[in-house]
């Protein structure tokens, strides 16, 4: 049986090259996919395990700390939640790849797992948009727009991002299905769009709303933030120095996101052009198809990298982390002493 190629985060989130799927290539396959997929499931399992543990750890630090989260921390905790959803969905795809793309989990999980993967891509970049806007307001317009930086508004913004991600990912719930592919003798989880023009239109809209618009906002805010950080007069104020510490972590997270995700989004644009027959060169088509796979799994790595950056770069996060550990260390002996005291009094009463 031929090896079926997965395109988990490509423009239409389908497995390729199925003959009844919209992104069938007109070029002969010149890539040896067997070598690529032979160990891919191991990489995904390792990625998932690390990502689940690290992102749960980040969320616990934010949730268990006695002080409420700042606006920036609300955004970063939601980003960690989005990363946790992604890495929790990836083991299903690892099993799928190991089974030569025979999907064993049924139609419901076929839809939900792919929706979780999709929503991570959309929500993550918009959480970073919110973070960038927050840093922009904190450093560039601290006096005039300070009232906008309130936890209540941050929570509303996060809720809107989750709803927006659900709307963008809703076609997955409609068109994803488990279908038997005769040519490959496999029952696969694929996208079954009604016609190719819908697929291309949907992918163009996703490119605009999930990449071009948010990346433009992030780029503008980042440039203004860099200009503000170069202003030496800000060092006189303790508040601005505190904002700078938070900004250092956010800039690191933003940089990691761009390194991991921008290649994927750029290759998706080329993939749309290939499927629209704008690019007809077979070498380019095959190169785009291969790079799509590589950059998809590079993008997944961002969900593991973010928690590491919180610890390595985020001074405020490390401070919160040690305070949570200290709080837990104090609470545990007190609880043990209370339990022993209660047990002793019970025994005396019994005697």
């Amino acid at each position: 049986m031929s090896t079926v190629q997965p395109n988990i985060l490509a423009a239409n989130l389908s497995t390729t090259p199925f003959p009844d799927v919209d992104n069938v290539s007109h070029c002969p396959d010149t890539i040896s996919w067997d070598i690529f997929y032979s160990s891919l499931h191991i990489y995904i399992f390792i990625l998932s395990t690390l990502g689940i543990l690290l992102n749960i750890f980040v969320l616990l630090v934010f949730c268990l700390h006695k002080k409420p989260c700042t606006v920036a921390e609300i955004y970063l905790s939601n980003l960690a939640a989005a990363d946790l959803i992604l890495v929790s969905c990836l083991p299903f795809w690892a099993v799928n790849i190991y089974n030569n793309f025979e999907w064993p989990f049924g139609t419901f999980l076929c839809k939900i797992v792919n929706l979780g993967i999709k929503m991570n891509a959309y929500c993550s970049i918009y959480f970073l948009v919110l973070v960038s806007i927050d840093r922009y307001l904190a450093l560039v317009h601290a006096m005039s727009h300070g009232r906008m930086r309130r936890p209540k508004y941050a929570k509303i913004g996060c809720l809107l991002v989750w709803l927006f991600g659900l709307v963008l990912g809703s076609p997955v719930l409609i068109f994803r299905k488990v279908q038997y592919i005769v040519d490959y003798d496999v029952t696969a989880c694929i996208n079954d769009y009604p016609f190719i023009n819908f697929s291309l239109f949907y992918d163009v809209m996703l490119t605009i709303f999930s990449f071009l618009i948010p990346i433009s906002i992030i780029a503008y805010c980042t440039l203004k933030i860099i200009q503000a950080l170069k202003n030496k007069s800000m060092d006189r104020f303790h508040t601005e120095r505190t904002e700078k510490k938070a900004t250092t972590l956010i800039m690191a997270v933003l940089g990691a996101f761009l390194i991991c995700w921008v290649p994927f989004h750029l290759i998706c644009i080329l993939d749309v052009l290939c499927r629209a027959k704008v690019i007809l060169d077979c070498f380019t088509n095959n190169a785009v198809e291969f790079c799509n796979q590589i950059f998809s799994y590079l993008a997944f790595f961002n969900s593991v990298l973010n928690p590491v950056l919180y610890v390595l770069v985020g001074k405020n996060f490390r401070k919160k982390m040690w305070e949570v550990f200290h709080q837990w260390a104090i609470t545990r002996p007190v609880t043990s002493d209370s339990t022993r005291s209660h047990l002793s009094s019970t025994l005396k009463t019994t005697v």
Side-chain angles (χ1 to χ4, degrees), residues 274-318:
C274 289
R275 289 161 49 213
K277 304 298 187 290
V278 176
I279 298 176
L280 298 175
D281 176 66
C282 282
F283 175 81
T284 304
N285 271 266
N286 287 327
V288 167
E289 189 173 3
F290 181 75
C291 289
N292 213 332
Q293 302 295 317
I294 298 296
F295 292 151
S296 294
Y297 296 105
L298 172 64
F300 294 159
F301 180 69
N302 182 245
S303 297
V304 176
L305 188 57
N306 282 338
V308 176
L309 290 176
Y310 295 162
V311 176
L312 295 181
V313 182
K315 293 182 179 179
N316 291 334
F317 180 82
R318 287 201 303 272

Side-chain angles (χ1 to χ4, degrees), residues 249-281:
L249 170 60
I250 289 166
M251 296 297 285
V253 171
L254 181 59
F257 181 88
L258 295 177
I259 292 172
C260 292
W261 278 99
V262 167
F264 165 75
H265 284 292
L266 292 178
I267 208 70
C268 280
I269 294 173
L270 292 177
D271 181 66
V272 169
L273 295 176
C274 289
R275 289 161 49 213
K277 304 298 187 290
V278 176
I279 298 176
L280 298 175
D281 176 66

Side-chain angles (χ1 to χ4, degrees), residues 134-270:
D134 175 69
R135 293 298 89 199
Y136 171 75
L137 295 176
L139 296 173
V140 182
H141 296 289
M143 301 300 294
S144 57
H145 295 85
R147 293 182 179 180
M148 297 176 61
R149 299 183 59 247
R150 292 182 177 178
K152 179 178 71 173
Y153 297 139
K155 292 174 183 178
I156 293 174
C158 290
L159 178 61
L160 292 176
V161 167
W162 285 113
L163 292 175
F164 186 62
L166 182 61
V167 170
L168 288 179
S170 59
V172 173
L173 296 176
I174 300 171
F175 299 111
R176 270 281 171 180
K177 63 171 60 175
V178 177
Q179 183 174 313
Y180 178 70
I181 309 300
V182 178
D183 290 356
Y184 291 94
D185 188 28
V186 64
T187 302
C189 174
I190 64 169
N191 265 338
D192 187 21
Y193 291 127
F195 46 88
I196 189 169
N197 289 336
F198 176 85
S199 172
L200 290 174
F201 172 78
Y202 176 57
D203 294 336
V204 170
M205 290 299 100
L206 290 183
T207 299
I208 294 172
F209 287 103
S210 68
F211 179 60
L212 295 180
I213 291 177
I215 209 70
S216 299
I217 298 173
I218 290 172
Y220 173 80
C221 292
T222 301
L223 289 175
K224 293 297 182 180
I225 290 168
I226 292 173
Q227 291 175 2
L229 290 175
K230 289 181 179 179
N231 185 358
K232 301 299 182 181
S233 63
M234 292 179 61
D235 291 335
R236 296 177 300 172
F237 303 100
H238 174 72
T239 302
E240 280 75 4
R241 289 200 300 269
T242 302
E243 296 293 356
K244 281 187 177 182
K245 290 180 181 180
T247 303
T248 302
L249 170 60
I250 289 166
M251 296 297 285
V253 171
L254 181 59
F257 181 88
L258 295 177
I259 292 172
C260 292
W261 278 99
V262 167
F264 165 75
H265 284 292
L266 292 178
I267 208 70
C268 280
I269 294 173
L270 292 177

Side-chain angles (χ1 to χ4, degrees), residues 7 10-18 20-25 196 199 271 275 289:
N7 203 351
N12 67 350
L13 268 170
S14 65
T15 51
T16 59
F18 290 140
D20 59 338
V21 178
D22 294 334
N23 62 342
V24 176
S25 174
I196 189 169
S199 172
D271 181 66
R275 289 161 49 213
E289 189 173 3

